[in-house]
Amino acid sequence: MRAACAALLLWAAPVLAQPAAFQVVGDTIPASLTGTPGDAARGRAIVTTRQRGLCLLCHSGPFPEEPFQGDLAPSLAGAGARLTKGQLRLRLVDGRRLNPATLMPAYYSTEGLVRVGRAWQGRTVLSAEEIEDVVAFLVTLQE
Amino acid sequence: MRRFATLALALLALGAGPRSGFETMTPELQAMQRDDFANPGMLWVAEGEALFQRQGCTGCHTPAQMVGVAARYPVFDAGRDGPIDLAGRIAQCREQRQGAAPLPTESPEALALAAYVANQSRGLPLAPDPDPRLDPARRQGEALFRERRGQLNLSCAQCHDDNAGRRLAGSAIPEGHANGYPLYRLEWQGLGSLRRRLRSCMVGVRSEPFPPDAPEYLALEAYLAMRARGLVVETPAIRP
């Protein structure tokens, strides 16, 4: 629990900008938030660095070097086979649009939140660039 | 109150009551908690016993009269027209009855006194004060427990009700029962209060903790006592 809580605390580098506008089509955000494709290697680093992506607190995945993975959410293995880029993007940006009760935080939204800590106010969990990096990585997880 | 009833019925149907975090600790930690010579929380209990004598608590109270007290708290305090917790009662006693300077909240002395008094109830089931005047606070506490908060938008209930037993990263999520406070956390390397634990969780989901003496803490404490009723007092518990 200690490592998990520390992981939630450590990623203190702020993402200051308000989220940029994007268009939702069905259950997807078809276009890149930055207009350019992300970098899968950087995305993998975000996903596996607990203090940054926080992903492995809840998800497991094909990351043999990471001994502590969560089981609150589906495995990331095969995520790229189950979902398209646009579907992955919307689920990262704000999964509440598909399931208001989802456990997953909205990684690119500052709306509808209660008592956000002073250090985090007006900031998204990840930046648009980081979202694109993670999307680029997740689509490589084909099995 | 309807929620309490629903919860109680659901638990009866499952044939399971609340489960102490003790149950899911390693056998080594369980053994450490059980052994008063290995349990570091007993250092605070011993200090609290000395303070209880030295600071004049014994002028009115015998240690035997403290048996069962912690199992009932928080109780309704007419003067405050609301709940008061054990630490609050000890502070109130010092200030109003002894005319002594208040101990800073959660100071080592305040924790030691609370640990000593609560330790007198060790092994007794939590039996929350049935006073219906506590119901508004309990309802507020339950609402707070279920409210999503912080940048990560998580409620207490999402982890400790819905996902207890699952793993957050490598750590099993406990049901989050308040039956051993003040308790010794390995993570803290020290004894800490339930409020400290609540603040850690609030900060963990990147929310702004309530100010130190906010009524929200008492509301949560009053709800948590009801949620954990039947579990035995473990003070001083050990947790990872």
Side-chain angles (χ1 to χ4, degrees):
Chain A
M1 193 56 78
R2 178 189 193 173
C5 289
L8 291 174
L9 289 173
L10 277 173
W11 176 235
V15 179
L16 269 170
Q18 285 295 314
F22 53 84
Q23 201 184 1
V24 176
V25 179
D27 73 335
T28 73
I29 299 174
S32 162
L33 299 175
T34 59
T36 53
D39 179 294
R42 282 203 306 259
R44 189 184 197 281
I46 292 167
V47 168
T48 56
T49 307
R50 261 198 281 180
Q51 301 91 322
R52 216 166 150 202
L54 311 168
C55 310
L56 299 187
L57 292 180
C58 292
H59 296 276
S60 60
F63 314 110
E65 77 279 19
E66 292 296 328
F68 303 114
Q69 306 187 8
D71 66 358
L72 273 61
S75 168
L76 298 177
R82 295 194 298 270
L83 298 165
T84 67
K85 237 180 206 186
Q87 288 174 321
L88 288 165
R89 191 177 285 112
L90 178 56
R91 281 153 181 78
L92 283 166
V93 164
D94 192 348
R96 294 172 300 182
R97 288 165 181 259
L98 300 169
N99 170 15
T102 183
L103 192 61
M104 180 157 159
Y107 274 75
Y108 195 63
S109 171
T110 55
E111 284 171 20
L113 303 176
V114 174
R115 281 192 80 84
V116 174
R118 224 164 299 162
W120 313 102
Q121 281 170 18
R123 294 164 178 177
T124 58
V125 181
L126 292 179
S127 68
E129 290 74 17
E130 289 170 325
I131 296 279
E132 290 308 319
D133 292 342
V134 173
V135 169
F137 171 61
L138 292 178
V139 293
T140 70
L141 298 178
Q142 288 292 322
E143 46 187 69
Chain B
M1 212 57 202
R2 189 182 306 152
R3 271 217 165 108
F4 296 140
T6 317
L7 177 70
L9 279 175
L11 291 173
L12 277 176
L14 289 170
R19 199 162 177 228
S20 169
F22 180 86
E23 306 296 330
T24 47
M25 294 202 304
T26 62
E28 291 76 16
L29 281 183
Q30 292 183 347
M32 191 194 283
Q33 178 175 318
R34 281 201 195 97
D35 178 357
D36 282 354
F37 295 100
N39 183 337
M42 289 307 290
L43 296 171
W44 278 263
V45 171
E47 173 67 13
E49 182 175 16
L51 287 168
F52 195 82
Q53 309 279 344
R54 204 160 65 227
Q55 302 201 339
C57 307
T58 46
C60 297
H61 306 288
T62 65
Q65 287 170 337
M66 296 293 103
V67 174
V69 168
R72 287 196 300 275
Y73 271 69
V75 298
F76 186 81
D77 183 69
R80 297 185 182 189
D81 194 26
I84 189 166
D85 60 11
L86 186 60
R89 178 67 83 206
I90 293 171
Q92 186 190 57
C93 239
R94 266 182 70 84
E95 287 166 57
Q96 294 181 3
R97 305 215 164 76
Q98 297 185 309
L103 289 173
T105 311
E106 299 182 64
S107 61
E109 293 81 7
L111 283 171
L113 273 169
Y116 171 67
V117 174
N119 181 245
Q120 305 310 305
S121 298
R122 186 165 60 171
L124 297 176
L126 285 180
D129 185 357
D131 193 327
R133 292 175 296 178
L134 286 169
D135 287 348
R138 286 180 179 131
R139 275 195 296 272
Q140 184 197 4
E142 179 170 12
L144 288 165
F145 192 81
R146 297 180 185 285
E147 181 181 53
R148 302 183 72 153
R149 60 167 50 84
Q151 191 196 42
L152 301 182
N153 200 29
L154 292 166
S155 70
C156 313
Q158 282 179 299
C159 277
H160 298 290
D161 278 350
D162 303 347
N163 284 291
R166 296 212 171 133
R167 301 192 91 78
L168 183 69
S171 310
I173 300 175
E175 289 182 10
H177 291 299
N179 60 320
Y181 288 92
L183 58 71
Y184 187 92
R185 286 198 91 79
L186 272 59
E187 181 185 335
W188 295 337
Q189 301 274 298
L191 200 80
S193 66
L194 172 56
R195 289 185 187 209
R196 181 173 179 187
R197 175 66 246 181
L198 292 171
R199 285 197 304 271
S200 317
C201 264
M202 290 174 195
V203 171
V205 299
R206 300 181 176 177
S207 81
E208 190 66 24
F210 296 106
D213 286 318
E216 281 85 353
Y217 291 110
L218 280 170
L220 278 165
E221 289 170 24
Y223 169 63
L224 289 173
M226 192 56 91
R227 182 173 173 267
R229 68 187 177 282
L231 288 180
V232 298
V233 176
E234 296 178 19
T235 309
I238 292 181
R239 293 292 183 269

